[in-house]
Amino acid sequence: MTTTIERGAAAGADYLDQRTGIGAAVKSFARKVFPDHWSFLLGEVALYSFVVLLISGVFLTLFFVPSMAEIHYEGPWAAMQGVEMSEAYASTLRLSFEVRGGLLMRQVHHWAALIFMASIVTHMMRVFFTGAFRKPRELNWLVGFVLMILGLAAGFSGYSLPDDVLSGNGLRITDGVVRAIPIIGSYLSYFIFGGEFPGQDLIPRLFTVHVLLVPALILALIVVHLLMVVIHKHTQYPGSGRTDQNVVGFPLFPVYVAKAGGFFFIVFGVIALMAATMQINPVWNYGPFDPSIVSAGAQPDWYMLFLEGSLRLMPGAGTEWVIGGYTLSLNVLIPAVVIPGILFSLLALYPFVEAFVTRDTGEHHVLDRPRNRPFRTAFGVAVLTAFFVLLVAGANDLIAAHFYMSLNDLTRIFRVLFFVAPVVAFILTKRICLSLQRKDRELVLHGHETGRIVRFAHGEYIEVHRPLDEHERWLRVAYEPEHPLEIAPPVDSRGVRRKGYRLDKVRQRMSQAFFEDRIEPVTPAELAAAHSHGAHDELEGGSHVASPRELEGSAPGGGRTIAEPADGSTPDARNR
Amino acid sequence: MTDHNSSTDLTPRGGGDGRLPARFTDPGHAPHKLRRADVDPDANKRAERQVVLLFGVSILGTIGFLVAYALVRPGETIGSMRLSNLLLGLGLFLGMFGIGAAAVHWAKTLMNDHEVSQERHTLISSPETRAAAVQDLKDGAADSSIGRRGVLKGAMVSALALAPLSIAVPLIGEVGEDWDISKFGRTIWAKGVRLAQDPSGRPIRAAEVTIGSAFHVIPDNLEEFEHPLDEKAKAIVLMVRMDPRDLKEAPGREGWSYEGIVAYSKVCTHVGCPVALYEQQTHHLLCPCHQSTFDLADGAKVVFGPANRPLPQLPISVDDEGYLVAQSDFLEPVGPSYWERLK
């Protein structure tokens, strides 16, 4: 028996299918399986905060006036009565004071932008540390990387629109950085500002960039990004039953329609809560842009802070060179162009570097546990540490003020830290990864500690260890560590020099750096050997009072009988 | 665990005896765990009620938003504006979050949670498909006969390469105003232009500048220009008076100050922020953006931070009526460095 609704739906579906063939798409998508893990939500947060940005942004464009024409303010905000300001700034005040819900939408928009960038960065970290960028997803990593750069551009162009003192000084710094670019810098500055800073054109131009160019590019690349996810099918975390040939999870309809669809509303709700309770960018306090005013303790949005810190750390003395009468400002170029360029290039190109080193051509759909790739994890943490030092240095004046420290000393400390901290972070992270792998080995070989102490007849005490079940164990042994590459000798058997030897030599050197230190997973033989160490198995049943069911499979281990890793776990350069 | 074992023999010990495999094998999917709502009809009912309640929270939130919209205006004070924002925002939060929480709770407690496994297929096309695709392209190229018609190919490439110029040339030509970058090197300061207070524009007499004081200065003819903000951005000056004995003046600049009053460009030589924080005791001037520090007693030399050059000095004197005036424009470009700065 069919209801009216079902009949209507069937008729509608029939109409559509005859004209679009949508049935085939529904058939292949509706029950498509996606794996489940909280870290997969990070990319979703980015997507949903972008949707929130579009919704709140459209609202704002209806009231914002992108014009630098000077007017005298005559609105309700008493502190600005009669003050000369641009129409852009005046309309931002109007949005805050006169449009009901306008301030809410402004704050929703700004918070959503901060969360958009934060979720992109953490999503990239997830992809990086789990090796999700490996074949076949290298291109999608690049698409994601470009999306992050576009996110920076969107944030920066939007932040500058209200034409207040803070954003105006941000633009002035931009002008200074652009001018430092050799040969074309001065003309580039004219290109951006339509003449000299601040000019009359910048706000309308930034508006077009912010509401049309950048969002259109982001939207197009998001489509590509998601299409590639569908084509590749989502990666999955390692675990029993999960292989490179399958995808284990829940069907799109209904589970992810409800979970992911619902999650959009959760993200929107949380951003709304932040906008309701946490004030952001109160431009009515800053005042309209005036090129002679600057406020101490001013900070850009967090995703630009690393640039600010980088500019602050660079020592100025002796770093401006005059070559043939032309001025080269290394004190601006190095921190604002070269260092971010290096850090971002490292990020963008890492998948290709790793593929070059491993010579790996297989498809990977099961993610790595970060500990099982110590070099990659340590490298990622080192790059992040460099970013983080720059980011904190961008707030050195606030740190100095809050903690009564010398600003100059802080700057000098950060200068040293920028070089030292990534190295320390690399070494520490690598050691932590290796230790976690050893911990995994120990768990697999000796099982969980149970806290049950047993005394044997001859007076010996041991703690009973409970072996891992096969699923727990599989998680810890199911990885293949990479080994340093062996390469063919430089000359063949007849003494003729081999083509491509140099490249191979580079590859081998890098491979050694990547994979020299490694821990092999436990093999069945090692596990068997570890169990036979005990030799108390038959004693155990009678020697203590726990119920027989609990004892089943229990193996003694612990203090006395920890087995050595049989092989391969020893970082050793001597025998390669 | 120690690692004194220095062997790097990678074959697992005991792995070759035929009894044990070299690696563990995948035990297959872990057994499915039932949720409370799967086994307990009461828990199932309870979960359903919770989902309904969460949707109800959303409905109430939206109604609350509409009520706040109708009753609370942003008003003229910070307080009323914040109240309006808080109430609207909380309504929006509940309206959205309720739907999301309800949907997720529904999915987690009531929807089928049996994991499903689907096969993946390699992305690479089959050799036959590839060969067919290559053949298609070859056929198409042969049909167009492009390979045999070199002149045609050249003409097409030239036309396509030139066509974008009709967009690019006017864009690049017009977008940078007059492209006269020599303007970077000039300001509206000139001989006889009075130093005026920023922002009032009131000219300053030398007599009212006491020792230890600092003035934010603009040229008093600023409002005569078409775009005062553009001119102001280059012309801002910081003027201080110190004990003439503290002042070290570089050779050739002895006549640029007036009885301990010195005037320097306020545009940082690093990236152009206004250098606005003056410390009277040390005569140091600090840029709050990137903390370049200049010593005004010693020719505004850089004593700390990322700037490389001293701030340009504005030569000043006093006119007949006792007002401070500029002797000329700055003798070097103000603000951040650029490629053609010394040209």
Side-chain angles (χ1 to χ4, degrees):
Chain A
M1 211 176 89
T2 52
T3 64
T4 326
I5 293 174
E6 279 172 8
R7 272 201 305 277
D14 177 52
Y15 182 92
L16 267 184
D17 192 37
Q18 290 198 35
R19 282 153 187 84
T20 60
I22 198 173
V26 171
K27 170 80 186 67
S28 68
F29 278 110
R31 300 292 273 179
K32 203 172 171 63
V33 165
F34 284 90
D36 212 12
H37 191 268
W38 65 265
S39 69
F40 299 158
L41 292 184
L42 295 167
E44 279 187 52
V45 175
L47 177 66
Y48 297 149
S49 49
F50 183 68
V51 176
V52 173
L53 282 167
L54 289 183
I55 295 171
S56 54
V58 167
F59 182 96
L60 295 175
T61 55
L62 300 181
F63 300 95
F64 178 72
V65 183
S67 159
M68 296 174 92
E70 295 283 315
I71 56 163
H72 290 272
Y73 181 70
E74 285 166 2
W77 177 225
M80 290 286 158
Q81 276 309 327
V83 173
E84 197 175 346
M85 58 180 64
S86 65
E87 285 191 279
Y89 184 75
S91 64
T92 311
L93 289 186
R94 179 165 168 247
L95 259 169
S96 310
F97 284 95
E98 294 165 70
V99 178
R100 276 181 285 179
L103 178 63
L104 183 65
M105 284 298 147
R106 269 194 61 223
Q107 303 209 120
V108 162
H109 198 70
H110 205 139
W111 278 120
L114 298 193
I115 289 176
F116 180 56
M117 284 313 298
S119 53
I120 287 179
V121 170
T122 43
H123 173 64
M124 274 184 95
M125 284 158 67
R126 195 280 292 170
V127 169
F128 183 90
F129 288 120
T130 59
F133 54 75
R134 289 171 299 170
K135 189 182 172 187
R137 295 182 179 79
E138 307 98 318
L139 297 180
N140 220 14
W141 166 264
L142 284 184
V143 171
F145 175 81
V146 175
L147 275 168
M148 178 193 65
I149 301 291
L150 286 172
L152 290 177
F156 182 75
S157 56
Y159 181 77
S160 305
L161 286 177
D163 204 23
D164 58 292
V165 162
L166 270 187
S167 70
N169 277 315
L171 287 171
R172 186 148 204 173
I173 293 169
T174 312
D175 178 48
V177 170
V178 168
R179 283 204 216 176
I181 297 170
I183 304 171
I184 58 165
S186 311
Y187 296 98
L188 205 53
S189 166
Y190 264 54
F191 182 90
I192 294 169
F193 293 90
E196 279 192 283
F197 172 88
Q200 323 300 317
D201 301 331
L202 187 63
I203 298 289
R205 284 182 185 179
L206 279 178
F207 185 70
T208 308
V209 168
H210 183 72
V211 306
L212 179 71
L213 289 181
V214 175
L217 283 174
I218 290 181
L219 206 55
L221 284 183
I222 285 179
V223 170
V224 175
H225 204 61
L226 294 182
L227 212 61
M228 296 244 246
V229 171
V230 171
I231 291 173
H232 294 143
K233 296 198 167 88
H234 208 287
T235 50
Q236 54 193 347
Y237 276 90
S240 38
R242 289 146 190 237
T243 70
D244 279 332
Q245 284 78 43
N246 70 4
V247 49
V248 181
F250 303 105
L252 183 65
F253 183 75
V255 176
Y256 281 105
V257 169
K259 272 190 174 175
F263 192 54
F264 164 72
F265 290 96
I266 290 177
V267 170
F268 200 160
V270 169
I271 292 173
L273 184 64
M274 294 172 80
T277 54
M278 292 186 263
Q279 173 176 283
I280 187 163
N281 206 20
V283 290
W284 55 87
N285 287 339
Y286 304 154
F289 175 63
D290 179 326
S292 73
I293 297 176
V294 66
S295 49
Q299 307 284 301
D301 280 348
W302 77 267
Y303 46 83
M304 284 288 167
L305 210 47
F306 75 96
L307 262 181
E308 183 82 352
S310 181
L311 279 169
R312 286 178 183 189
L313 290 194
M314 182 76 193
T319 49
E320 185 174 304
W321 297 352
V322 178
I323 302 165
Y326 291 102
T327 308
L328 186 65
S329 283
L330 293 177
N331 54 337
V332 179
L333 276 179
I334 289 176
V337 180
V338 176
I339 286 177
I342 290 174
L343 290 176
F344 279 119
S345 304
L346 284 176
L347 266 184
L349 299 179
Y350 184 83
F352 304 95
V353 174
E354 196 181 290
F356 170 79
V357 171
T358 57
R359 278 193 150 155
D360 182 7
T361 54
E363 285 192 13
H364 296 278
H365 301 292
V366 175
L367 296 170
D368 286 324
R369 301 172 82 211
R371 68 184 62 174
N372 290 339
R373 295 285 177 257
F375 180 90
R376 179 202 295 154
T377 305
F379 178 83
V381 170
V383 171
L384 277 177
T385 305
F387 268 113
F388 186 73
V389 169
L390 294 181
L391 192 141
V392 178
N396 62 351
D397 48 347
L398 295 185
I399 297 171
H402 281 295
F403 297 103
Y404 300 99
M405 295 166 78
S406 154
L407 182 67
N408 303 8
D409 289 347
L410 264 180
T411 303
R412 291 188 191 104
I413 290 169
F414 283 127
R415 281 175 186 164
V416 175
L417 275 183
F418 176 71
F419 293 99
V420 174
V423 176
V424 173
F426 180 89
I427 294 168
L428 271 182
T429 310
K430 197 165 162 188
R431 287 297 126 191
I432 289 171
C433 285
L434 294 170
S435 305
L436 284 170
Q437 282 183 288
R438 290 202 181 95
K439 176 73 190 163
D440 277 351
R441 279 186 64 90
E442 187 183 318
L443 253 182
V444 171
L445 288 173
H446 304 296
H448 299 289
E449 293 180 3
T450 59
R452 295 208 319 267
I453 307 295
V454 176
R455 204 189 96 166
F456 291 105
H458 55 273
E460 181 192 358
Y461 288 91
I462 62 154
E463 182 186 4
V464 178
H465 283 211
R466 180 170 51 78
L468 275 61
D469 72 35
E470 53 182 358
H471 302 292
E472 286 177 301
R473 187 201 303 138
W474 177 245
L475 179 68
R476 288 166 179 82
V477 299
Y479 70 95
E480 287 295 329
E482 295 280 354
H483 299 140
L485 283 176
E486 304 284 335
I487 60 169
V491 289
D492 64 16
S493 53
R494 283 166 298 171
V496 181
R497 287 189 56 180
R498 189 167 64 84
K499 253 186 172 179
Y501 172 72
R502 281 197 166 177
L503 192 66
D504 275 359
K505 191 77 194 158
V506 171
R507 202 194 302 266
Q508 187 194 31
R509 287 235 178 87
M510 291 173 74
S511 173
Q512 270 165 13
F514 271 57
F515 305 121
E516 192 162 43
D517 299 337
R518 65 190 179 278
I519 306 286
E520 300 285 330
V522 175
T523 63
E526 286 172 332
L527 184 63
H531 280 205
S532 65
H533 270 297
H536 301 298
D537 302 35
E538 62 289 332
L539 286 173
E540 201 177 52
S543 64
H544 69 84
V545 292
S547 71
R549 192 159 57 91
E550 211 179 329
L551 277 173
E552 229 169 38
S554 286
R560 199 181 62 115
T561 56
I562 287 179
E564 300 299 340
D567 53 66
S569 60
T570 314
D572 184 1
R574 282 168 295 174
N575 292 322
R576 56 162 190 269
Chain B
M1 201 174 284
T2 58
D3 44 16
H4 56 70
N5 184 347
S6 62
S7 160
T8 48
D9 171 18
L10 297 177
T11 28
R13 208 181 278 169
D17 64 0
R19 274 191 314 120
L20 290 165
R23 286 277 190 256
F24 286 97
T25 47
D26 187 349
H29 296 291
H32 182 68
K33 288 197 191 97
L34 290 175
R35 298 164 299 187
R36 273 179 74 188
D38 294 329
V39 290
D40 178 1
D42 285 347
N44 192 298
K45 267 276 161 233
R46 201 157 51 238
E48 188 185 339
R49 277 199 301 274
Q50 286 160 347
V51 173
V52 171
L53 184 75
L54 286 167
F55 277 123
V57 166
S58 166
I59 294 169
L60 288 178
T62 305
I63 293 172
F65 180 97
L66 295 175
V67 170
Y69 176 81
L71 297 183
V72 185
R73 292 190 166 272
E76 300 179 3
T77 65
I78 297 288
S80 63
M81 184 177 72
R82 286 201 178 132
L83 180 67
S84 156
N85 184 64
L86 178 67
L87 294 177
L88 292 175
L90 288 179
L92 184 63
F93 160 62
L94 292 176
M96 294 297 167
F97 193 84
I99 296 176
V104 171
H105 193 51
W106 183 2
K108 285 181 95 86
T109 54
L110 296 174
M111 286 183 189
N112 184 352
D113 74 333
H114 281 267
E115 281 197 319
V116 191
S117 178
Q118 275 178 356
E119 293 293 303
R120 287 181 196 269
H121 310 285
T122 47
L123 295 162
I124 190 169
S125 329
S126 68
E128 300 79 47
T129 314
R130 278 192 181 190
V134 170
Q135 193 53 49
D136 282 355
L137 293 178
K138 280 184 181 160
D139 291 349
D143 286 353
S144 72
S145 69
I146 187 136
R148 288 185 286 113
R149 302 181 200 272
V151 179
L152 189 153
K153 190 160 47 172
M156 179 183 73
V157 170
S158 310
L160 285 174
L162 289 175
L165 285 179
S166 31
I167 309 280
V169 167
L171 176 78
I172 293 169
E174 296 305 306
V175 81
E177 206 193 18
D178 55 5
W179 294 110
D180 176 14
I181 57 164
S182 70
K183 281 192 233 165
F184 282 157
R186 299 190 296 269
T187 74
I188 58 173
W189 287 109
K191 188 174 168 55
V193 174
R194 282 179 177 166
L195 278 69
Q197 277 195 330
D198 180 22
S200 68
R202 195 180 58 79
I204 308 165
R205 282 175 196 277
E208 64 189 282
V209 183
T210 53
I211 287 185
S213 64
F215 282 71
H216 296 273
V217 170
I218 49 176
D220 88 328
N221 59 350
L222 187 60
E223 290 300 325
E224 297 164 15
F225 289 85
E226 191 191 349
H227 299 300
L229 274 191
D230 291 10
E231 300 304 338
K232 187 177 180 182
K234 283 191 293 185
I236 45 175
V237 159
L238 194 107
M239 180 182 73
V240 299
R241 183 168 201 165
M242 60 188 84
D243 190 327
R245 284 167 299 181
D246 292 342
L247 199 58
K248 274 191 273 176
E249 290 188 299
R253 290 191 177 188
E254 291 87 355
W256 288 17
S257 64
Y258 178 79
E259 293 181 357
I261 303 176
V262 284
Y264 285 97
S265 165
K266 210 170 93 177
V267 190
C268 187
T269 55
H270 176 223
V271 285
C273 281
V275 195
L277 301 181
Y278 179 62
E279 198 185 44
Q280 193 187 341
Q281 297 295 317
T282 55
H283 312 304
H284 283 179
L285 189 61
L286 176 83
C287 176
C289 288
H290 306 105
Q291 293 127 21
S292 295
T293 312
F294 304 89
D295 185 358
L296 292 194
D298 188 12
K301 276 196 188 130
V302 181
V303 290
F304 187 77
N308 176 71
R309 284 181 294 108
L311 296 167
Q313 186 174 2
L314 183 71
I316 53 168
S317 61
V318 170
D319 67 9
D320 304 342
E321 296 170 60
Y323 289 106
L324 288 160
V325 293
Q327 294 181 24
S328 69
D329 193 0
F330 291 100
L331 298 188
E332 57 178 316
V334 300
S337 299
Y338 53 98
W339 186 244
E340 303 86 351
R341 200 181 90 87
L342 298 178
K343 283 285 165 179

